[in-house]
Amino acid sequence: MLYLSRKIGEAIVINNAIELTVIEVRGKTVKLGFVFPPDATVLRKEIYDKVTEENMTAASSGGSADDFMEVEFDLSRLDEQP
């Protein structure tokens, strides 16, 4: 695992395509901003793990490809501020 230190406003670039910027730090919470290509999929780790687990369960139960979980994303609201 690679560890990096960044300050607010500083960024890193991954594979010349994904930019991650530290937006805000409050206590133990860090707000990150991402710029990535439209064909990239970005999931929180706990969501990714759940999708993977459900897909493995479907595959091991002898299900068909139709039983696999499809994930769709509405990326049109990414630029909205909370």
Side-chain angles (χ1 to χ4, degrees), residues 29-58:
T29 302
V30 178
K31 184 185 275 187
L32 302 172
F34 293 86
V35 177
F36 52 89
D39 63 333
T41 300
V42 178
L43 294 173
R44 294 187 330 248
K45 177 77 164 95
E46 62 273 17
I47 300 298
Y48 173 81
D49 289 344
K50 184 164 179 58
V51 169
T52 301
E53 179 184 334
E54 291 183 11
N55 285 343
M56 295 294 281
T57 300

Side-chain angles (χ1 to χ4, degrees), residues 8-44:
I8 295 173
E10 294 181 334
I12 62 169
V13 177
I14 302 167
N15 288 337
N16 296 320
I18 299 171
E19 183 177 322
L20 178 135
T21 304
V22 177
I23 305 297
E24 179 180 45
V25 178
R26 284 189 188 175
K28 293 183 178 183
T29 302
V30 178
K31 184 185 275 187
L32 302 172
F34 293 86
V35 177
F36 52 89
D39 63 333
T41 300
V42 178
L43 294 173
R44 294 187 330 248

